[in-house]
Amino acid sequence: MSTNLSAVIGKGLTPQQFIDSMQRNQEAFLDWYGKFQWATEDDREFFESLNNRDDLRCVIIAAEWCGDVVRNIPVVFKALENSGIPVEVLIMEEHTDVMDQFLTFGGRSIPVVIITDTGGHVLGKWGPRPERVQAVMKAFKEGNPDREAPDYNDKIQAVRAEMLRQYGEGVGYQSVIVSELRELLSTF
């Protein structure tokens, strides 16, 4: 990826500032955050081993109103908490110029977790949701390109329900996010 985010690095909120600033969904966010547990000791050790690296940064594009942010970002925060990787959050509505560099299917979907080097060069990204959940939306978008179709709203509601089913009950999806982040971070 040739994108560079050096102009915004250091301008975001810390994870705690993001949580403290939440006017909506803070309780649900903190609930998911509190339920986080490492699925394996190996995963925990991998993320802790990143403390040996000082060349990575994490910028997250998010907004408190988004259900995927409320579910997924607590996992990202927890996974990176002891990694030594500086993490900051850009509020989507305040950084649409950055958001528009990371569109999903041509639209603004959050969260986007972006890993950069110290110079702000984008190394990789994750999001807005685990791959198996995102596959449901991808299939929908491919099969329903016309947002003006009379049945579009009914279909998107059904897709959102299926995405919730793909997340599953409980916190099992959290280990999927940890695994996907680990896979991403292992590439650089």
Side-chain angles (χ1 to χ4, degrees), residues 35-148:
K35 290 179 179 175
F36 179 84
Q37 291 185 356
W38 291 105
T40 69
E41 185 64 16
D42 190 49
D43 283 339
R44 186 190 62 73
E45 289 173 358
F46 170 81
F47 281 89
E48 284 185 0
S49 77
L50 296 172
N51 269 300
N52 297 325
R53 301 194 52 183
D54 62 359
D55 60 330
L56 301 175
R57 303 291 179 268
C58 177
V59 176
I60 301 170
I61 305 169
E64 65 182 285
W65 50 261
C66 175
D68 289 309
V69 168
V70 171
R71 256 186 193 265
N72 300 338
I73 294 307
V75 180
V76 177
F77 283 177
K78 281 295 211 177
L80 295 178
E81 209 166 62
N82 296 317
S83 70
I85 297 174
V87 177
E88 60 185 294
V89 180
L90 301 177
I91 304 301
M92 183 185 73
E93 293 85 355
E94 298 170 11
H95 296 277
T96 55
D97 56 327
V98 177
M99 177 75 249
D100 290 346
Q101 296 176 60
F102 298 94
L103 300 177
T104 302
F105 311 128
R108 294 177 176 167
S109 295
I110 52 176
V112 181
V113 177
I114 307 158
I115 306 297
T116 74
D117 63 15
T118 55
H121 295 92
V122 174
L123 303 173
K125 72 176 189 77
W126 178 90
R129 50 191 71 93
E131 289 178 22
R132 73 174 187 228
V133 179
Q134 186 65 2
V136 175
M137 181 58 78
K138 181 178 186 210
F140 170 76
K141 293 283 188 176
E142 288 171 352
N144 298 278
D146 182 8
R147 294 179 71 116
E148 303 302 321

